[in-house]
Amino acid sequence: MLERDYLWCALHLMLDDEEELARLCPTCRSQAQEGRCPVCGEPTGLWEESHNAAFDPERFAALSRGVRP
């Protein structure tokens, strides 16, 4: 596959997700867009373990701009 084929597939996957969300009522749509545990349905991000303490947002931003620290 060429690079443009991967881009085409990714774009259509995103469009498919948007179509699925558009079929839901506003309440269900907001719940579907929340991060939830696939087992119990509890919202994620509420536990201390769900945050990566080693993540450095400033270094990430620098690397995203192409700057090597």
Side-chain angles (χ1 to χ4, degrees):
M1 285 179 54
L2 301 174
E3 287 182 19
R4 68 175 181 241
D5 296 326
Y6 287 107
L7 179 61
W8 186 88
C9 288
L11 175 64
H12 282 276
L13 286 172
M14 290 173 53
L15 291 173
D16 290 343
D17 289 343
E18 285 182 11
E19 286 178 8
E20 286 293 319
L21 287 173
R23 293 177 33 195
L24 301 174
C25 71
T27 304
C28 292
R29 187 178 310 128
S30 66
Q31 287 179 355
Q33 291 176 317
E34 292 176 359
R36 294 195 170 265
C37 173
V39 177
C40 68
E42 235 357 85
T44 58
L46 301 178
W47 308 286
E48 189 174 313
E49 297 87 22
S50 65
H51 299 286
N52 184 355
F55 181 72
D56 183 1
E58 293 164 2
R59 183 170 184 262
F60 176 77
L63 289 172
S64 296
R65 292 189 306 271
V67 177
R68 295 258 175 195

